[in-house]
Amino acid sequence: MNSIKCSSTTNFLLRAAISSALFTSTATVYAQGNLLEEVVVTAQKRSERLIEVPISITTLSAETIEQSGVKELKELGDLTPNLMISQNSDFGTNIVIRGVGANSRNIGFDSRVGVYLDGVYLGQSPAANQGMIDLAQVEVLRGPQGTLFGKNTVAGAISLTSVKPGDEFEGSVGINVGNYNNLELQGSVNVPLTDSTSVKVYGNKTTRDGYIKNVFNGDDVNERDVVSGRVQLRTDFDSGLEMNISADYLEQDRMGFNGEPLTDTFGAFKPEEGAAKYELSQQTLLEDKELKGASLTFDYEMDNGYLLKSITARRDSEITYDADPDYDSAVFLGVLYTDAYEQTTQEFQIISPDGSAFKYVAGVYYYTQDSTTDRDAIPGTGTILYPPLGIEVPIAAFGINPTMKAVDIDGAVDTESYAVFANGTYDLTDRITLGLGFRYGEETKDVDWSIDGSNSGAFRIATTRVKDSRTDTSFDPTASINYALFEDSYVYARVSTGSKSGGYNLDFINVDQIEAGIEFDEETVTSYELGYKGEFPEQNLRLGVALFYSEFEDYQVNQYVDLGGGRTALSITNAAEVITKGLEVDVTYQPTVNLQLTAALGLLNAEFDSFPGGDAEGGDASGNKLPYAPDLTASLGAQYYYPLPSLSSSLLLRADYSYTDGYYITASNDEGHTLVDGSQVPFGEVDSYGTISARIGLVSDAETWEVSVWGRNLTDEDYQNYSFRDFFGTILGGYAMPRTYGIEAKYNF
């Protein structure tokens, strides 16, 4: 299978990346002084130089985010090695780090990667795909991070840091227009109310037509229609106390998209209409979501240098998703999902002074989440082709009364967790720093959930009520050692552990699943990492390398299983063991003050080491690769400023290339789906692909204005980036967004 094995293109890219790293590390540079801007991160709850933190981290500055054209969190994968983010509906956003991730479209199942805004956990999958607006920096931390964040994360964390209110009156307005009627309007203003208090307001409105034609009704689906904003208030008190109040809001109403049907409803033939790429023929799907949150943060610096921190936050997320599981223009069956999450968190931290040999952060964390779901499967009066009989059949032919709901789901899961965590470092010598940390947590899930499948006929959806409670406790230690080879050059070794609590499969489950049990066990991980980080001022080079090996026990797998006869069911089971291992390389090279080159490489081998009975048809999945785990991801970037003194400005030239090797979509490692006529449709695997983005702009020397032309996917690659099988057995796929381009202007005052 060429897409999964290391192809000639992969070999070429790998050789090029290694050669580039070797060349840049030995190149002679004639620029005077260190041109690299120092990168400071807050991954360990204090400001530290990136190269001194013994964690594999990719950082993206505000400039990189803006000039690369990244607008949503789901686009971060283009710039970050070993990070994959699903490109379909926000309802089930799946973030994967080092081959490990999960979506939480099920209120009884948690994600593995945490997304945080200013230290506040943003919640489940519907809340993850944030707009990349008004951010000072993004940090992607790989591996378990429970000792640094109160909410445990077994795969990693994405930390978003917003731009705080400043002491001067300033602001900006911007407009971005492009093809597909793309229109983005944004503005911000910072106002100092007093000598110690400032307020900042930011707003964004984005609309864009869909790029997939629904030939049934003429709609352009997979559009964007988002309004978002943030208000922040900062007050510095004379006593060393700083208060930050923040509130944010996002509303999205759009014609959504879950995938293009590659087959008819039952996965037997190609669809009669809408079979071309970027086409479908079905009832229009709606996807509306509302996210809102508020936080109150106090930072109190004591006279002895200790910092006390309190973060109180409330976040609410609601998403309504109108699905058409028959993927046909006939009114055969519709499903309406409404999931809501109400979350409250409280975190207290104590952070020691920077000047001592022993530095630490310790904290307590409280998290509560009330999640509810309401899901209705509603039959219609239309007919669809049923391949075994070769005739059009109504839904009544499957024993379903079209005047009643086919399935009715209603329920809630209330989660409450407590955690105590600490992370510290001790300078054993001038060169050696020892790090130790732990997280002790207890999480309780109370479930009260019911499903009525009495009118599901031949599909045998269960009818039952689940009223239960489970508690998981965990102790997750971490240890590291950091050794300074010489100034600005460090090697480190790190062992970290993590856990993901168990839960319940609260979805469209059948009678057999109820009999087998819908509860799944806690998952644990032990991760080993060996890395190098260094800066070479004379060569203007920054290099980071990390080798990792992780073992997951009782790994939770969420997938569709094949029941035969065109029927599937959503299943969550525990794989006995998963092993992921690989390499990550980040290089930044600045040969002149105006030119910066970046390169990133991720090599990955993620497999089910033991998973008997784990594939979709009940076979042994041991030795199979994990879904969304490409063997190779790589990116190259170049940014150049060409001075134009006569215009008191500079010409900005930027180009980015991103490459992703082939990967599987399912635990079964399917390699296509054979139709009744013997032909195949792509299912279960994705071929390798690469994209190019670029920007040309004019930037004033005073940084008061900027005008740019930009383009993404410039070569207009129409590669498939995901596929899956839905309830009736329909095979669906999604293709990359076609070439987009436009003009962006910004004015700062």
Side-chain angles (χ1 to χ4, degrees), residues 3 74-79 83-88 211-212 222 257 259-260 262 276-278 628 630 633-634 656-663 665 682-683 685-693 712-723 732-740:
S3 63
K74 67 169 57 177
E75 297 169 351
L76 279 183
D78 293 343
L79 304 175
L83 173 66
M84 298 282 291
I85 304 179
S86 60
Q87 300 297 306
N88 53 337
Y211 56 91
I212 299 168
N222 210 10
F257 174 73
E260 297 181 37
L262 306 180
K277 287 184 178 179
Y278 305 109
Y628 293 99
T633 53
D656 292 279
Y657 173 74
S658 174
Y659 174 83
T660 302
D661 206 5
Y663 55 91
I665 297 295
F683 165 65
E685 62 171 333
V686 169
D687 291 335
S688 58
Y689 56 86
T691 59
I692 298 174
S693 300
R712 294 180 62 84
N713 190 13
L714 287 175
T715 55
D716 203 21
E717 300 294 327
D718 60 355
Y719 57 89
Q720 187 184 85
N721 51 25
Y722 69 92
S723 64
L732 298 110
Y735 297 94
M737 189 170 182
R739 180 193 298 117
T740 55

Side-chain angles (χ1 to χ4, degrees), residues 583-719:
L583 168 72
E584 288 141 2
V585 180
D586 279 289
V587 180
T588 300
Y589 174 46
Q590 187 141 357
T592 72
V593 69
N594 293 325
L595 174 63
Q596 185 176 90
L597 306 175
T598 59
L601 174 72
L603 300 179
L604 177 66
N605 184 353
E607 295 184 348
F608 293 102
D609 192 58
S610 177
F611 195 13
D615 76 13
E617 298 180 356
D620 190 354
S622 301
N624 286 2
K625 290 184 176 293
L626 266 64
Y628 293 99
D631 289 345
L632 175 91
T633 53
S635 64
L636 298 171
Q639 183 165 296
Y640 182 68
Y641 285 97
Y642 183 78
L644 298 172
S646 61
L647 298 177
S648 299
S649 61
S650 295
L651 182 68
L652 164 68
L653 303 173
R654 182 181 178 99
D656 292 279
Y657 173 74
S658 174
Y659 174 83
T660 302
D661 206 5
Y663 55 91
Y664 290 108
I665 297 295
T666 66
S668 303
N669 288 184
D670 297 289
E671 299 181 6
H673 176 75
T674 303
L675 304 179
V676 171
D677 61 6
S679 62
Q680 276 207 337
V681 293
F683 165 65
E685 62 171 333
V686 169
D687 291 335
S688 58
Y689 56 86
T691 59
I692 298 174
S693 300
R695 178 178 294 259
I696 302 174
L698 195 63
V699 184
S700 74
D701 293 342
E703 298 183 348
T704 55
W705 56 265
E706 177 180 348
V707 179
S708 303
V709 294
W710 57 270
R712 294 180 62 84
N713 190 13
L714 287 175
T715 55
D716 203 21
E717 300 294 327
D718 60 355
Y719 57 89

Side-chain angles (χ1 to χ4, degrees), residues 505-516:
N505 184 11
L506 307 179
D507 217 312
F508 289 97
I509 55 177
N510 63 32
V511 174
D512 296 331
Q513 289 173 293
I514 286 291
E515 294 175 355

Side-chain angles (χ1 to χ4, degrees), residues 130-153:
Q130 297 283 315
M132 305 299 288
I133 59 173
D134 198 34
L135 296 178
Q137 186 163 282
V138 175
E139 299 172 19
V140 180
L141 289 71
R142 305 179 188 89
Q145 303 298 331
T147 64
L148 298 171
F149 296 89
K151 186 74 171 70
N152 199 10
T153 53

Side-chain angles (χ1 to χ4, degrees), residues 20-210:
S20 175
L22 292 175
F23 170 76
T24 55
S25 65
T26 58
T28 300
V29 180
Y30 296 98
Q32 299 297 314
N34 182 13
L35 302 178
L36 284 176
E37 183 177 344
E38 185 174 73
V39 177
V40 176
V41 297
T42 58
Q44 298 190 124
K45 306 300 183 183
R46 67 174 73 240
S47 296
E48 300 174 292
R49 298 172 68 202
L50 171 66
I51 61 172
E52 296 181 14
V53 179
I55 302 173
S56 178
I57 306 174
T58 292
T59 62
L60 303 172
S61 66
E63 182 185 23
T64 298
I65 295 168
E66 181 176 352
Q67 305 298 10
S68 64
V70 169
K71 299 296 183 181
E72 296 179 283
L73 185 132
K74 67 169 57 177
E75 297 169 351
L76 279 183
D78 293 343
L79 304 175
T80 309
N82 282 339
L83 173 66
M84 298 282 291
I85 304 179
S86 60
Q87 300 297 306
N88 53 337
S89 166
D90 287 355
F91 178 62
T93 299
N94 185 12
I95 305 176
V96 180
I97 293 180
R98 292 177 172 175
V100 176
N103 72 70
S104 53
R105 58 155 276 170
N106 179 330
I107 63 170
F109 188 72
D110 300 326
S111 59
R112 289 189 175 90
V113 177
V115 181
Y116 301 83
L117 175 62
D118 296 329
V120 176
Y121 177 62
L122 293 182
Q124 302 289 63
S125 288
N129 187 33
Q130 297 283 315
M132 305 299 288
I133 59 173
D134 198 34
L135 296 178
Q137 186 163 282
V138 175
E139 299 172 19
V140 180
L141 289 71
R142 305 179 188 89
Q145 303 298 331
T147 64
L148 298 171
F149 296 89
K151 186 74 171 70
N152 199 10
T153 53
V154 294
I158 300 177
S159 178
L160 314 177
T161 303
S162 66
V163 179
K164 297 295 187 294
D167 297 328
E168 297 182 1
F169 176 78
E170 58 186 0
S172 67
V173 291
I175 183 172
N176 188 2
V177 296
N179 59 335
Y180 296 105
N181 288 321
N182 179 82
L183 175 61
E184 179 182 3
L185 303 172
Q186 57 180 301
S188 70
V189 61
N190 184 92
V191 181
L193 302 178
T194 69
D195 291 341
S196 60
T197 300
S198 298
V199 64
K200 183 176 183 181
V201 180
Y202 183 92
N204 180 283
K205 167 69 173 177
T206 301
T207 57
R208 190 207 68 220
D209 291 346

